Amino acid sequence: MKRKKLVIIGGGFGGLNACKALKNSELEITLLDRSNYHLFQPLLYQVATAVLSPGDIAAPIRGILSKQKNVRVLMSPATSVDQKNRKVLTADGDFEYDYLIIAVGSRHSYFGNDGWEQYAPGLKTISDALSIRERILSSFEKAEKLNDPKEIEKFMTFVIVGGGPTGVEMAGAIAEISKKTLLKDFRNINPALTKIILVEGSPKLLNMYDEPLNKKAKESLESLGVTVRLGESVTKINSLGLQIGGEFIETPNLIWAAGNKASTLIESLDVQKDRIGRAIVERDCSIKSDSNVFVIGDSAMFSENGKPLAGIAPVAVQQGKYVAGIIENDTPKDKRKSFVYFDKGSMATIGRARAVMQMRNIKLSGSLAWFLWGIVHIMFLISFRNKYKVMSEWIWYYLTQRQGIRLITHKTDWS
Amino acid sequence: MKRKKLVIIGGGFGGLNACKALKNSELEITLLDRSNYHLFQPLLYQVATAVLSPGDIAAPIRGILSKQKNVRVLMSPATSVDQKNRKVLTADGDFEYDYLIIAVGSRHSYFGNDGWEQYAPGLKTISDALSIRERILSSFEKAEKLNDPKEIEKFMTFVIVGGGPTGVEMAGAIAEISKKTLLKDFRNINPALTKIILVEGSPKLLNMYDEPLNKKAKESLESLGVTVRLGESVTKINSLGLQIGGEFIETPNLIWAAGNKASTLIESLDVQKDRIGRAIVERDCSIKSDSNVFVIGDSAMFSENGKPLAGIAPVAVQQGKYVAGIIENDTPKDKRKSFVYFDKGSMATIGRARAVMQMRNIKLSGSLAWFLWGIVHIMFLISFRNKYKVMSEWIWYYLTQRQGIRLITHKTDWS
């Protein structure tokens, strides 16, 4: 019997977990990814704020799958899917499939203002994180050299757009680096001039959480010196700064954490899409036009009780494993049980020793939530190697309160 | 009494050690560097070969000097020195000095063929190391996708030009990553197709060492599968490969470790320069035209017994401390004792558990030399933080034989 071919596009949480769940199957698996590494995205903000190195939260995909002999890993971005001929097209040739899993994640959305991206980068990739790190650190260096207080203030102003988990975590982390590191390492900068502003269009932070956690998050940020502006929208972003309502704030330090859209690969699929370009999938995560093609994770819109599942790692992980089960057993469409998301809770950290978490009806905030956050994230890190490294970095950071990776690496050397 | 002003240009081994030696002085010190970090350059080849992260061997200069209140650190590249008015010129303004220490290091020299640099990068900065890492890892990824053995061979060929310590260390490290990692993580590549070639123009490797160490180094490399070609010169480098004598070797993987030249800042000094642009300094490391201006480390040519001191870290460290003593005591030129280099020995590592070392008449090779190499390098790492991190990476690498930082980070994400 000919072995069936499975192509997985994307080595993130969804794709990688589907692949690993199939380690004993008879399938011929090809995993395609644009990068050569799997990224532990929930900790990416710590690379952007100089606590962790990229190597601490990323691991080569082929290293993770080194012992799984039924999979071939290729660093080839898929350009489109030819559903009729059951092929994935890439610059390195076509890949035929019997089954296809699409798990390509999402990108930032600037709500039609794509020109804003160059001034307000988002945080999805290692390269995004390094460029935000460079921007933040360079601003401190610049401010140290200036004498005009108005100019200094500009470089010491940081605006984060979007009050979801990424925005809240970035605001907290920037507050910590600027308040603590500045005091010790800089001679000229007056920390009182630092302004950190978090802008959110809706009336509360962390929309996916229930009260009182939204309030707790706001209070925690305010106690770190962050100005939280709710119910306000950004109407303009350019090289000088951004417009919020009637006010124009001058700063080169803008970070975008406000919206996502599905990756462009989804466009080539014969499937209905939602407002942000995600594939609207069936109860079994397949698409209506082909029950052997699955879309999972951030690129999929899966409704549960009339509400779409959030674009978070646990959803992608569970969908990956679920879809792997269907494929391994060759279950026909009409015999497949619906995917059910098991909510293990959500958590967001706000600086050192502060976090909020919610697991169904249990709500926690403060240092216990922060401690649990640390445990859960260490457990989730995919390879033992990274657990060990991140833990040692955190112990270091906790004890010394000094971000270790404060490198501006894009500059050239003495020439 | 007005405090005297010292400007130090460069936060490498020389500049940083001069600065630290002056921690109790009454001087007003300004340290200028193009980067915001001090780099432990002797381990840079381990970043290029995916064993260490940039953050493991670099630390923010202002973090290292955080507690030294008489110094101000600025990230400003010096553009030239105005000796007449005793000022260092930068894009951020001029800095007056009573004393000046120039410790700006060196750059690669392509012996007049500057066009070669884009095809055969050298290894001086973090950015150099990351681009070499990207080139090596991308070649493996490319080879995995190809079918034509001739094409595969091209991507699996690595040529290192220059048989000094950097060239020898790079050749050994590439041999290890390609032989070991390839076997485990790739499915298509035949490791027998890998070719690693080390080209050296003179008749022996590691010229600064005595026999039998040069032979030992050659044997060690050969046992790792490296082809060592002595007494041969590169006559052409282009996008397709390089010409050695009558042979043209096709490969995109070229690494330049063959020559250095002093940084361009030295050009603006009123001092005699040697063939590679280094300032020829007096017995006290000052320049003839001004006894309050010192040039140390790789940018200086200091002769001892008619032989110039090598451009290695211990020379820069000792010169930095020596010059600091003169400045702290305000010793007039005629009262200054000559600088004397205390040779603590040299060492180079050739893959895991192999090294050569020489300390005056003591010569060692093999695993004992390698073990001592590890101890010495850990001791030299400037901050405790990095000692701890590098040691844990090395223990990991030693036990697993897997390079952990195999990330190709310049690529963009799914878009």
Side-chain angles (χ1 to χ4, degrees):
Chain A
M1 199 187 91
K2 206 169 138 276
R3 286 168 68 194
K4 285 203 172 173
K5 287 180 175 160
L6 164 64
V7 175
I8 301 173
I9 314 178
F13 286 106
L16 194 58
N17 278 282
C19 187
K20 288 168 78 177
L22 290 164
K23 67 169 184 281
N24 297 318
S25 80
E26 287 296 306
L27 294 155
E28 227 181 279
I29 307 173
T30 305
L31 194 158
L32 305 174
D33 199 300
R34 184 176 287 252
S35 306
N36 78 328
Y37 53 83
H38 169 76
L39 176 63
F40 192 81
Q41 229 172 31
L43 290 176
L44 196 55
Y45 81 96
Q46 296 209 351
V47 172
T49 52
V51 173
L52 296 176
S53 279
D56 296 337
I57 59 158
I61 297 171
R62 62 174 73 258
I64 298 171
L65 297 172
S66 181
K67 291 191 179 134
Q68 188 172 331
K69 295 298 176 197
N70 63 355
V71 60
R72 196 177 151 206
V73 177
L74 293 176
M75 189 175 142
S76 295
T79 48
S80 67
V81 177
D82 176 354
Q83 283 185 253
K84 203 171 135 231
N85 297 303
R86 307 195 142 242
K87 277 193 218 167
V88 175
L89 312 185
T90 80
D92 301 300
D94 303 346
F95 294 89
E96 289 178 15
Y97 63 81
D98 298 298
Y99 281 110
L100 175 63
I101 299 175
I102 299 175
V104 291
S106 59
R107 281 297 297 167
H108 320 292
S109 162
Y110 289 82
F111 309 126
N113 301 293
D114 290 345
W116 293 0
E117 182 159 18
Q118 57 178 309
Y119 309 116
L123 188 64
K124 288 278 180 200
T125 67
I126 287 182
S127 151
D128 291 340
L130 292 177
S131 80
I132 290 174
R133 183 180 81 181
E134 186 186 2
R135 208 174 272 228
I136 296 172
L137 298 175
S138 299
S139 287
F140 293 161
E141 295 294 337
K142 186 83 187 161
E144 177 80 351
K145 293 187 286 195
L146 294 169
N147 293 312
D148 175 1
K150 222 178 111 61
E151 275 291 296
I152 293 177
E153 195 181 328
K154 205 168 85 182
F155 284 99
M156 298 309 299
T157 298
F158 300 86
V159 183
I160 300 106
V161 184
T166 303
V168 166
E169 294 184 321
M170 278 302 291
I174 293 175
E176 292 207 321
I177 198 174
S178 62
K179 306 280 166 176
K180 290 177 187 154
T181 308
L182 284 185
L183 277 172
K184 287 183 194 154
D185 284 4
F186 290 81
R187 303 288 182 256
N188 280 353
I189 302 176
N190 176 359
L193 293 177
T194 312
K195 276 201 240 162
I196 300 148
I197 302 165
L198 178 63
V199 188
E200 163 61 35
S202 80
K204 59 181 182 180
L205 294 178
L206 301 174
N207 260 310
M208 65 203 294
Y209 293 77
D210 296 332
E211 283 302 354
L213 296 181
N214 322 78
K215 272 210 187 72
K216 290 270 184 203
K218 184 164 178 277
E219 286 163 18
S220 291
L221 284 174
E222 283 167 349
S223 75
L224 284 169
V226 176
T227 306
V228 179
R229 299 176 62 159
L230 300 174
E232 295 196 80
S233 298
V234 173
T235 50
K236 188 163 80 184
I237 293 183
N238 60 29
S239 64
L240 302 174
L242 87 174
Q243 184 87 36
I244 307 175
E247 187 189 357
F248 190 83
I249 302 174
E250 275 192 70
T251 171
N253 300 305
L254 301 171
I255 294 157
W256 188 261
N260 290 318
K261 64 180 177 208
S263 290
T264 48
L265 187 69
I266 303 299
E267 286 169 19
S268 71
L269 283 185
D270 175 15
V271 68
Q272 212 189 323
K273 286 117 196 163
D274 74 352
R275 191 178 44 85
I276 59 171
R278 292 181 297 186
I280 299 176
V281 295
E282 306 284 290
R283 308 313 304 156
D284 61 349
C285 299
S286 71
I287 58 174
K288 206 177 246 172
S289 59
D290 190 337
S291 63
N292 284 359
V293 174
F294 301 87
V295 185
I296 60 176
D298 289 10
S299 350
M301 206 293 272
F302 186 98
S303 289
E304 209 172 57
N305 312 322
K307 235 181 106 180
L309 292 178
I312 54 177
V315 171
V317 170
Q318 291 178 31
Q319 289 181 333
K321 290 179 182 167
Y322 163 85
V323 163
I326 292 176
I327 295 173
E328 181 149 30
N329 300 313
D330 237 339
T331 318
K333 173 105 175 171
D334 55 356
K335 295 269 165 59
R336 296 174 189 170
K337 279 187 203 152
S338 290
F339 170 72
V340 180
Y341 174 56
F342 179 72
D343 183 7
K344 292 183 189 161
S346 315
M347 33 187 34
T349 176
I350 307 152
R352 217 170 59 99
R354 286 191 185 91
V356 292
M357 65 177 287
Q358 176 166 356
M359 196 186 136
R360 281 158 243 170
N361 293 322
I362 306 165
K363 292 165 204 162
L364 267 181
S365 61
S367 54
L368 177 61
W370 179 79
F371 184 73
L372 290 172
W373 175 90
I375 301 279
V376 167
H377 280 79
I378 285 286
M379 302 298 289
F380 271 4
L381 280 176
I382 244 168
S383 73
F384 162 75
R385 185 193 130 68
N386 289 346
K387 277 182 206 167
Y388 165 75
K389 288 225 359 172
V390 171
M391 203 152 50
S392 73
E393 285 289 358
W394 283 352
I395 291 170
W396 173 266
Y397 178 53
Y398 187 83
L399 295 177
T400 63
Q401 302 197 33
R402 319 237 329 132
Q403 292 84 356
I405 323 289
R406 300 202 313 273
L407 313 178
I408 302 177
T409 48
H410 291 200
K411 307 282 163 193
T412 52
D413 208 20
W414 295 101
S415 60
Chain B
M1 198 187 93
K2 206 170 138 272
R3 286 169 67 197
K4 287 205 172 175
K5 287 181 177 162
L6 164 64
V7 175
I8 301 174
I9 313 179
F13 286 105
L16 193 58
N17 278 283
C19 187
K20 288 168 78 177
L22 290 164
K23 66 169 184 280
N24 297 318
S25 79
E26 288 297 306
L27 293 155
E28 227 181 278
I29 307 173
T30 304
L31 193 158
L32 304 174
D33 198 300
R34 184 177 288 251
S35 306
N36 78 327
Y37 53 83
H38 169 76
L39 177 63
F40 192 83
Q41 231 174 30
L43 290 177
L44 196 56
Y45 81 95
Q46 297 209 352
V47 172
T49 51
V51 172
L52 296 176
S53 279
D56 296 337
I57 60 159
I61 297 171
R62 62 173 73 258
I64 298 171
L65 298 171
S66 182
K67 291 190 181 136
Q68 188 172 332
K69 296 298 175 197
N70 63 355
V71 60
R72 196 177 150 209
V73 177
L74 292 176
M75 189 174 141
S76 295
T79 48
S80 68
V81 177
D82 175 355
Q83 282 184 252
K84 204 171 134 229
N85 297 302
R86 303 193 147 245
K87 276 193 221 169
V88 175
L89 312 185
T90 79
D92 301 298
D94 302 347
F95 295 88
E96 288 178 15
Y97 63 81
D98 298 299
Y99 282 111
L100 175 64
I101 300 176
I102 300 174
V104 291
S106 59
R107 282 294 301 164
H108 318 293
S109 162
Y110 290 82
F111 309 125
N113 302 292
D114 289 346
W116 293 1
E117 182 159 18
Q118 58 177 309
Y119 309 115
L123 187 65
K124 287 277 180 202
T125 67
I126 286 182
S127 152
D128 291 340
L130 292 178
S131 80
I132 291 176
R133 183 180 81 181
E134 187 187 1
R135 207 174 271 228
I136 295 173
L137 297 175
S138 298
S139 286
F140 293 162
E141 295 294 336
K142 187 83 186 161
E144 177 78 351
K145 293 188 286 196
L146 294 168
N147 293 311
D148 175 1
K150 220 180 116 59
E151 275 292 294
I152 293 177
E153 193 180 330
K154 205 168 87 183
F155 284 98
M156 298 310 300
T157 298
F158 300 86
V159 183
I160 299 106
V161 184
T166 302
V168 166
E169 294 185 320
M170 278 302 291
I174 293 176
E176 291 207 320
I177 197 175
S178 63
K179 306 281 166 176
K180 289 177 188 152
T181 308
L182 285 185
L183 277 173
K184 287 182 195 153
D185 284 4
F186 290 79
R187 303 287 182 255
N188 280 352
I189 302 176
N190 175 0
L193 293 177
T194 313
K195 277 201 238 164
I196 300 149
I197 302 165
L198 178 63
V199 189
E200 163 62 34
S202 81
K204 60 182 182 178
L205 295 179
L206 301 174
N207 260 311
M208 65 202 295
Y209 294 78
D210 296 333
E211 284 301 356
L213 295 180
N214 322 73
K215 271 210 187 73
K216 291 270 185 202
K218 184 163 178 278
E219 285 164 15
S220 291
L221 284 174
E222 284 168 346
S223 76
L224 284 169
V226 176
T227 307
V228 179
R229 298 176 62 159
L230 300 174
E232 296 196 79
S233 299
V234 173
T235 50
K236 188 162 80 184
I237 293 183
N238 60 29
S239 63
L240 302 175
L242 86 173
Q243 183 87 35
I244 307 175
E247 187 188 359
F248 190 83
I249 302 175
E250 277 191 69
T251 172
N253 301 304
L254 301 172
I255 295 157
W256 188 261
N260 289 319
K261 63 177 178 213
S263 290
T264 48
L265 187 70
I266 302 299
E267 286 170 20
S268 71
L269 283 184
D270 176 15
V271 65
Q272 211 190 325
K273 286 118 197 160
D274 73 352
R275 191 179 45 84
I276 58 171
R278 293 181 296 186
I280 298 175
V281 293
E282 305 285 289
R283 309 310 308 154
D284 61 349
C285 299
S286 71
I287 59 175
K288 206 176 248 172
S289 59
D290 189 338
S291 63
N292 284 359
V293 174
F294 302 87
V295 186
I296 61 176
D298 289 11
S299 349
M301 207 293 272
F302 186 97
S303 290
E304 209 172 60
N305 311 322
K307 236 181 105 180
L309 291 179
I312 53 178
V315 171
V317 170
Q318 292 178 32
Q319 289 181 336
K321 291 178 181 166
Y322 163 84
V323 163
I326 293 176
I327 295 173
E328 181 150 31
N329 300 314
D330 237 339
T331 319
K333 172 104 176 173
D334 55 355
K335 294 268 164 60
R336 297 175 188 170
K337 278 187 204 154
S338 291
F339 169 73
V340 179
Y341 174 56
F342 178 73
D343 183 7
K344 292 184 187 159
S346 314
M347 34 187 32
T349 175
I350 307 154
R352 215 170 59 98
R354 288 193 184 89
V356 292
M357 65 177 289
Q358 174 165 357
M359 196 187 136
R360 281 158 244 171
N361 293 322
I362 306 166
K363 293 164 204 163
L364 265 181
S365 61
S367 54
L368 176 60
W370 178 79
F371 183 74
L372 291 171
W373 174 91
I375 301 280
V376 167
H377 280 80
I378 284 286
M379 302 298 289
F380 271 3
L381 279 177
I382 244 170
S383 74
F384 162 75
R385 187 193 129 68
N386 288 347
K387 278 182 205 165
Y388 165 75
K389 288 226 354 171
V390 169
M391 203 152 50
S392 75
E393 285 290 359
W394 283 352
I395 292 170
W396 173 266
Y397 178 54
Y398 188 83
L399 294 177
T400 64
Q401 303 196 31
R402 316 226 347 121
Q403 293 83 355
I405 322 292
R406 302 201 311 272
L407 313 178
I408 303 176
T409 49
H410 292 199
K411 306 284 162 192
T412 53
D413 209 23
W414 295 101
S415 60

